[in-house]
Amino acid sequence: HQTADDYILEMINLSSDPSKDFVVSSDMELLRKAKQRGAKTVTIEEFLSQLLKKKRKKKPLIEKEMQET
């Protein structure tokens, strides 16, 4: 049986351009192996932090409309 990690690494190996592959994981060993194969990597914590930053920058439409009136 193939593990999820093995599948991810296999997909990177088969990729025509691994630099376009992006792996998000809390498994540091998987991130290390993915990076060695040329993929971009980020921890789950970093990924969630970036999502929250983007969400904070966006104001809900209703809030924007209220400020304009």
Side-chain angles (χ1 to χ4, degrees):
H1 296 278
Q2 185 179 43
T3 67
D5 289 2
D6 291 338
Y7 179 79
I8 292 166
L9 296 172
E10 182 180 345
M11 290 297 101
I12 295 168
N13 287 337
L14 295 173
S15 176
S16 61
D17 188 359
S19 68
K20 292 182 179 178
D21 296 333
F22 198 82
V23 178
V24 178
S25 179
S26 59
D27 183 335
M28 298 310 287
E29 182 67 14
L30 173 61
L31 293 179
R32 184 185 65 75
K33 289 178 179 179
K35 188 176 243 180
Q36 285 177 337
R37 288 163 172 78
K40 293 181 174 112
T41 62
V42 67
T43 65
I44 289 174
E45 293 81 11
E46 292 167 330
F47 180 74
L48 292 175
S49 174
Q50 291 299 318
L51 284 179
L52 289 173
K53 284 180 187 177
K54 287 183 180 184
K55 188 174 183 176
R56 286 185 195 128
K57 287 182 181 179
K58 292 183 180 180
K59 291 184 178 180
L61 182 59
I62 190 76
E63 189 177 320
K64 287 181 183 178
E65 289 174 354
M66 290 176 72
Q67 288 177 352
E68 292 173 0
T69 57

